[in-house]
Amino acid sequence: MRALLLSGFLATVCSLLGTRVAVGWFARRGFGQPIRQDGPRTHHVKRGTPTMGGLVILLSATAAYLAATILTGRWPSASAWLLMLLFLGCGVVGFLDDFIKVYTQNNQGLSSRAKMAGQTLVALVFGVLATQFFADERGVRPASQYLSTTHDWGIKLPLVVVLLVIWFLVTATSNGANLTDGADGLLAGSSALIFGAYTIVNIWQNNQLCDSTRPNVVESQCYQVRDPLDLAIFAAAIAAACVGFLWWNAKPARIIMGDVGSLALGGALAGLAIMSRTELLMAVIAGLFVLETLSVLLQMISFKVTKRLTGTGRRIFRIAPIHHHFEHLGWDEVNVVIRFWVIAGVFVALGLGIFYATWLT
């Protein structure tokens, strides 16, 4: 528990101070954000705002986790190293995308094919390592070959199928986080809630770990997972780093997170879900990301289908992702962000409720 509190404290301080330094550093070097031309008109004033602030979240969370773990006399576990692989690996893909945007002053960045290739490589390396290696003394590996909601269930899946599931989770979650990052403070605030929820999930799993010597552990309801305490410490560091970053990212944003932050956060979220055996529950806890992604998919499907049937493409929303739709309706950006934080909080509360209720049954 000391490591968890220390990790959160260090991540908050490092992110809060580090983001302030990054604002000036990126501004002096002209690392300004290009803005999509079809976006809300109120966003055009953000052109030139320093971007790639997500680097501070990556560095603060990782350094805080490592420092807190080592200072409390422990050593990072295999699960933590694998989570770090996803966190930093997806961050590298996002950094390349951001750098190209800044260098060319064009909002395109990496091609969708190149971005997908990078995410796929990171996901598959993680998948193979997590499912095939690093078994602990109980024989439990960081990831299993079963589907799970709060516990593993069903039949053991072939490795190829498991890798496809992991690939889908990593790419879908990182892209979902990326779509959510479109308004000042929206992704940072909602991510703090979501990673805070996974901190609670992993603390609970650590307290109810199978083969534990704790007297309160119910063997019929215990969690067959590896290194839940380390995952809780890392999740707390990421949540705290998002809070520190939010101080400077709230409207009017002094710095923008960029793809380096959004892709990294999505990748880390997928890793936490996979290694805590809560893949399907993640769709509830991170329901805001799902909602944002669905709005884009529905927009694309509606346009293509109506164009094929009538010759004129029709859209469901004025613009996607859905938070931009409400800005086009005239909602102030601050109102959109706060209300979407509320939505994120409702999903988080519902997910934690399902997690706890499942343990009671």
Side-chain angles (χ1 to χ4, degrees), residues 126-144:
F126 166 82
V128 171
L129 293 176
T131 58
Q132 301 303 302
F133 299 95
F134 307 115
D136 62 11
E137 61 278 2
R138 299 170 298 155
V140 179
R141 294 188 171 91
S144 75

Side-chain angles (χ1 to χ4, degrees), residues 11-328:
T12 303
V13 173
C14 290
S15 181
L16 190 62
L17 299 179
T19 305
R20 178 63 188 91
V21 173
V23 170
W25 196 88
F26 287 136
R28 287 193 297 272
R29 284 156 181 79
F31 286 10
Q33 174 72 21
I35 302 297
R36 57 186 286 191
Q37 293 302 314
D38 62 339
R41 286 193 298 261
T42 55
H43 284 214
H44 291 181
V45 298
K46 300 180 184 182
R47 182 179 299 276
T49 302
T51 187
M52 293 195 285
L55 277 171
V56 180
I57 296 177
L58 268 72
L59 296 176
S60 298
T62 303
Y65 163 76
L66 291 173
T69 302
I70 295 170
L71 288 174
T72 52
R74 304 172 66 251
W75 188 251
S77 65
S79 297
W81 288 118
L82 288 169
L83 184 59
M84 205 177 300
L85 167 67
L86 272 181
F87 191 42
L88 299 179
C90 290
V92 168
V93 177
F95 174 80
L96 293 174
D97 189 44
D98 283 334
F99 186 80
I100 293 172
K101 290 177 183 177
V102 170
Y103 185 77
T104 62
Q105 279 302 295
N106 187 295
N107 203 44
Q108 295 306 309
L110 280 175
S111 67
S112 57
R113 186 172 297 180
K115 188 184 293 186
M116 181 62 72
Q119 292 170 305
T120 299
L121 176 62
V122 174
L124 293 183
V125 170
F126 166 82
V128 171
L129 293 176
T131 58
Q132 301 303 302
F133 299 95
F134 307 115
D136 62 11
E137 61 278 2
R138 299 170 298 155
V140 179
R141 294 188 171 91
S144 75
Q145 291 186 224
Y146 294 83
L147 285 177
S148 57
T149 304
T150 58
H151 293 79
D152 286 340
W153 52 269
I155 61 173
K156 185 176 182 179
L157 300 174
L159 179 60
V160 173
V161 175
V162 173
L163 292 178
L164 285 173
V165 171
I166 290 174
W167 167 81
F168 173 77
L169 289 173
V170 172
T171 55
T173 309
S174 57
N175 288 325
N178 185 235
L179 291 171
T180 307
D181 185 29
D184 292 351
L186 178 55
L187 179 58
S190 56
S191 293
L193 293 171
I194 292 167
F195 282 97
Y198 265 101
T199 302
I200 295 171
V201 166
N202 282 287
I203 289 173
W204 183 265
Q205 289 184 335
N206 182 67
N207 291 337
Q208 302 295 333
L209 195 62
C210 293
D211 301 324
S212 172
T213 57
R214 294 174 182 267
N216 62 325
V217 174
V218 180
E219 285 300 321
S220 62
Q221 296 173 302
C222 65
Y223 295 95
Q224 193 74 16
V225 294
R226 194 193 196 285
D227 313 312
L229 182 57
D230 260 359
L231 295 179
I233 295 168
F234 211 147
I238 296 173
C242 288
V243 171
F245 179 79
L246 181 59
W247 182 271
W248 304 102
N249 184 235
K251 185 177 176 65
R254 297 282 301 279
I255 190 168
I256 293 172
M257 186 183 296
D259 286 9
V260 62
S262 60
L263 294 185
L265 289 173
L269 176 59
L272 284 167
I274 292 164
M275 291 189 284
S276 63
R277 313 296 196 263
T278 57
E279 293 99 330
L280 298 179
L281 185 65
M282 179 185 67
V284 180
I285 293 177
L288 179 63
F289 294 176
V290 176
L291 186 66
E292 296 276 10
T293 303
L294 284 177
S295 70
V296 173
L297 292 176
L298 290 173
Q299 186 87 321
M300 293 171 57
I301 292 170
S302 171
F303 185 82
K304 290 181 179 180
V305 170
T306 54
K307 186 173 183 178
R308 177 171 295 183
L309 294 177
T310 67
T312 303
R314 296 184 180 276
R315 296 175 171 86
I316 299 174
F317 308 106
R318 292 194 178 186
I319 186 173
I322 193 170
H323 60 266
H324 285 327
H325 168 78
F326 290 104
E327 289 185 81
H328 267 272

Side-chain angles (χ1 to χ4, degrees), residues 311-346:
T312 303
R314 296 184 180 276
R315 296 175 171 86
I316 299 174
F317 308 106
R318 292 194 178 186
I319 186 173
I322 193 170
H323 60 266
H324 285 327
H325 168 78
F326 290 104
E327 289 185 81
H328 267 272
L329 290 179
W331 290 22
D332 184 77
E333 186 178 4
V334 172
N335 288 335
V336 173
V337 170
I338 292 175
R339 287 166 181 169
F340 272 60
W341 282 350
V342 172
I343 294 171
V346 170

